[in-house]
Amino acid sequence: MVNKGRTSLYCNMEEKGDELIAAEDAVTSQIPVYLQSATYAVEHGELAEYRTSLDANIACKDALETALHTYYKDNALDTNSAVRETLGQFGAQRVQTILAMTVQRKEWDGRISPANKAWARTIPVPAMGQQDGQPILTQAHPGLINLFLNRLRKELEPQQKSLHQRLQAIQPAKDSPKAARKSHEPER
């Protein structure tokens, strides 16, 4: 005999749990990445912001490692699912920051492609002081990190191109004929 009331209650609790997780993910993805060191944060009265960002960085690192372990099955990584899940939880900036810190600290590792190493050098990462314990992925294979990064970069490429195009449209071209004519003509 199945108790329908318990089943209904369990389904409602599961739905509420999913709603709470989604709400928490929305809040976490809105926490700005703090790029200064702990020493700077103390000196400038920003320790709360530093700690909030550090906690989100640690949670992001844990989620990245979990996603890499969860979506790696039968010698294949489902990069689409892993990337979408972590981007949905933490947003592009934090995911990129954690991965860039990881790759920058593993510059010697040949399992990470030169293209991903070059990409990592372009991403701003938190300043490191002697006591700062910024998180990096330590429980994930560098080859899986490399595969994840390949997919992440491909996923974010349209957004980055769009931003680059908008910035170019705002700035007048230095070598445009109109700009060149103006610079040679006397002012009237």
Side-chain angles (χ1 to χ4, degrees), residues 28 31-36 49-65 90-91 93-99 101-102 105 124-128 132-137:
T28 303
I31 296 171
V33 175
Y34 191 85
L35 295 174
Q36 302 301 326
E49 292 89 345
Y50 170 82
R51 286 185 175 154
T52 301
S53 181
L54 179 61
D55 289 345
N57 288 350
I58 292 168
C60 182
K61 179 214 60 119
D62 292 343
L64 282 164
E65 289 180 340
F90 295 96
Q93 184 184 12
R94 186 163 316 278
V95 170
Q96 290 180 90
T97 299
I98 300 304
L99 290 167
M101 282 192 295
T102 299
R105 297 227 187 113
V125 298
M128 297 300 293
D132 292 350
Q134 290 294 338
I136 63 167
L137 279 67

Side-chain angles (χ1 to χ4, degrees), residues 7 10 25 33-35 47 53 116 126 133-134 171 173 187-188:
T7 304
Y10 177 75
D25 290 350
V33 175
Y34 191 85
L35 295 174
L47 192 56
S53 181
N116 284 336
Q134 290 294 338
Q171 298 173 341
E187 198 171 72
R188 295 178 196 194

Side-chain angles (χ1 to χ4, degrees), residues 101-113 117 121 136-137 140 142:
M101 282 192 295
T102 299
V103 171
Q104 287 176 17
R105 297 227 187 113
K106 294 180 183 252
E107 186 69 33
W108 51 268
D109 198 323
R111 295 168 290 188
I112 299 173
S113 73
K117 289 177 184 177
R121 288 189 291 272
I136 63 167
L137 279 67

Side-chain angles (χ1 to χ4, degrees), residues 4-5 7 13 15 37 39 76 98 123-126 135 142 151 154 161 166 178 183:
K4 290 183 182 182
T7 304
M13 288 175 60
E15 287 172 11
S37 69
T39 304
I98 300 304
I123 303 298
V125 298
R151 181 66 195 135
K154 192 176 285 186
K161 280 185 180 178
R166 284 185 280 163
K178 197 173 190 178
S183 63

